[in-house]
């Protein structure tokens, strides 16, 4: 594939000629996906739009193998948005377990309440209505509209961005944060037909997750290796800003996780002394607890007690 000197950026109304750069990629990637896609519960028809939405919240910055057991338990307990909305938000935090970034649980609960109140308990099909739900950003709205309802939207997660950066732009990694240029390119690469576009979104995401990975790309297994601009250029090393690494040990995130673990395991208020035992450094421990309170993940009570939020 020839790398365009000027990216074919456009919007959903652009002409077919402006989307032509994606055409050589669609069939091989989708055919590969049809043969190699993982059998994941949120991809099955019975998952429905709610199952897709739950999976999208859980999969943000969390690998599939950690999500699977929590997802299954979540859908067994709350098979519809109204079931979750009827519970206290603290129960969502409790059920979230150790998936990390527990504010996602509160956001998912908030979305379930809004779906119940505004849409009769059914996840809306309209992209704008999805985007208007609390806790739903550009990516999640596009993913639900695409994967649950077969609509035509650019779905840009980390894996898709990496595939496009390498195959089309010819660089090893995309920018640290999604750019407007990436969004325009993704729209330009979309197939015309909505169901094909939805399949393309899922297929390019799976390709990034299984083959065109961040550290150990398997070009010999890639269906578009012969067209990949980065491979054809000799795989030049990344020369942009340093890529952000994630640390956990000793951070406030670790302390927050330990504090929340105590609260999740106890049904009822927890005394300050029980929380003090989970971390030796009092200043960091207090800062982490204050952050949990500020984020709405923990409610302070009179008498030095704490609990998961009830409202």
């Amino acid at each position: 594939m020839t790398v365009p000197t000027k990216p074919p950026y456009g919007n959903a109304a652009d002409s077919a000629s402006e989307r032509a750069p994606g055409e050589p990629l669609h069939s091989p990637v989708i055919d590969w996906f049809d043969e190699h896609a993982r059998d994941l519960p949120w991809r099955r028809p019975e998952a429905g739009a709610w199952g897709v939405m739950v999976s999208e919240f859980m999969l943000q910055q969390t690998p599939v193998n950690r999500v699977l057991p929590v997802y299954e338990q979540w859908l067994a307990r709350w098979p519809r948005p109204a079931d979750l909305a009827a519970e206290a938000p603290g129960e969502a935090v409790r059920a979230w377990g150790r998936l990390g970034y527990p504010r996602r649980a509160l956001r998912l609960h908030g979305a379930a309440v809004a779906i119940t109140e505004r849409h009769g308990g059914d996840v809306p099909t309209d992209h704008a209505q999805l985007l208007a739900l609390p806790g739903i950003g550009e990516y999640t709205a596009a993913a639900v509209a695409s994967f649950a309802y077969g609509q035509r939207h650019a779905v840009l997660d980390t894996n898709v961005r990496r595939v496009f950066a390498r195959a089309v732009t010819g660089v090893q990694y995309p920018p640290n944060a999604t750019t407007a240029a990436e969004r325009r390119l993704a729209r330009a690469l979309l197939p015309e037909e909505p169901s094909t576009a939805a399949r393309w979104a899922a297929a390019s995401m799976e390709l990034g997750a299984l083959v065109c990975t961040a550290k150990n790309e398997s070009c010999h297994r890639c269906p578009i290796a012969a067209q990949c601009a980065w491979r054809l250029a000799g795989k030049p090393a990344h020369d942009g800003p340093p890529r952000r690494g994630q640390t956990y040990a000793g951070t406030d995130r670790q302390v927050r996780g330990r504090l929340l673990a105590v609260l999740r395991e106890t049904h009822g208020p927890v005394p300050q002394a029980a929380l003090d035992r989970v971390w030796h450094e009092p200043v960091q421990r207090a800062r982490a607890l204050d952050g949990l309170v500020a984020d709405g993940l923990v409610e302070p009570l009179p008498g030095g007690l704490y609990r998961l939020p009830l409202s």
Side-chain angles (χ1 to χ4, degrees), residues 5 19 35 42-43 55 70 79 94 105 125 181 185 199 201-202 220 250 257 266 269 302 306 310:
T5 56
R19 280 189 285 268
E35 183 176 354
W42 44 86
R43 289 177 176 164
S55 75
V70 181
R94 193 188 312 279
T125 60
L185 175 59
R199 197 71 176 163
H220 64 284
T266 306
Y306 296 87
L310 294 182

Side-chain angles (χ1 to χ4, degrees), residues 26 29-30 33 43 139 142-143 146-147 151-157 159-160 164 189-191 194-208:
H26 298 155
V29 172
I30 292 173
F33 182 66
R43 289 177 176 164
Y139 165 78
S146 178
F147 301 148
Q151 297 177 14
R152 184 178 182 274
H153 296 282
V155 184
L156 271 177
D157 81 335
N159 290 313
V160 176
F164 290 175
L189 293 173
L190 275 174
S195 63
T196 305
R199 197 71 176 163
W200 160 253
S204 53
M205 188 177 294
E206 190 80 334
L207 185 65

Side-chain angles (χ1 to χ4, degrees), residues 27-180:
S27 291
V29 172
I30 292 173
D31 289 347
W32 171 87
F33 182 66
D34 289 342
E35 183 176 354
H36 297 284
R38 291 168 292 182
D39 179 21
L40 300 174
W42 44 86
R43 289 177 176 164
R44 300 169 191 163
E46 61 268 24
W50 175 237
V52 171
M53 179 176 285
V54 170
S55 75
E56 289 301 333
F57 271 81
M58 291 184 173
L59 287 165
Q60 294 167 22
Q61 298 178 288
T62 307
V64 166
N65 63 339
R66 289 182 57 200
V67 166
L68 282 168
V70 181
Y71 174 88
E72 299 281 11
Q73 294 164 10
W74 190 285
L75 268 296
R77 181 174 179 180
W78 298 309
R80 288 181 51 81
D83 301 317
L84 176 58
E87 295 264 17
E91 288 306 302
V93 176
R94 193 188 312 279
W96 199 256
R98 297 187 178 275
L99 284 182
Y101 303 99
R103 277 178 289 182
R104 292 179 293 169
L106 290 182
R107 291 170 183 152
L108 184 52
H109 183 274
V113 171
I115 291 168
T116 303
E117 294 176 348
R118 302 176 194 171
H119 304 287
D122 294 322
V123 177
T125 60
D126 181 74
H127 179 267
Q129 291 180 331
L130 286 166
L131 197 56
L133 295 172
I136 302 287
E138 176 185 351
Y139 165 78
T140 304
V144 173
S146 178
F147 301 148
Y149 295 123
Q151 297 177 14
R152 184 178 182 274
H153 296 282
V155 184
L156 271 177
D157 81 335
T158 301
N159 290 313
V160 176
R161 293 175 62 223
R162 186 169 56 253
V163 169
F164 290 175
R166 292 174 179 174
V168 181
T169 313
V171 297
Q172 185 177 16
Y173 297 117
N176 284 332
T178 306
T179 65

Side-chain angles (χ1 to χ4, degrees), residues 28-29 32 163 167 207 211-212 218-226 228 231:
V29 172
W32 171 87
V163 169
L207 185 65
V211 174
C212 193
S218 300
C219 296
H220 64 284
R221 296 193 294 124
C222 180
I224 55 173
C228 176
R231 190 189 70 84

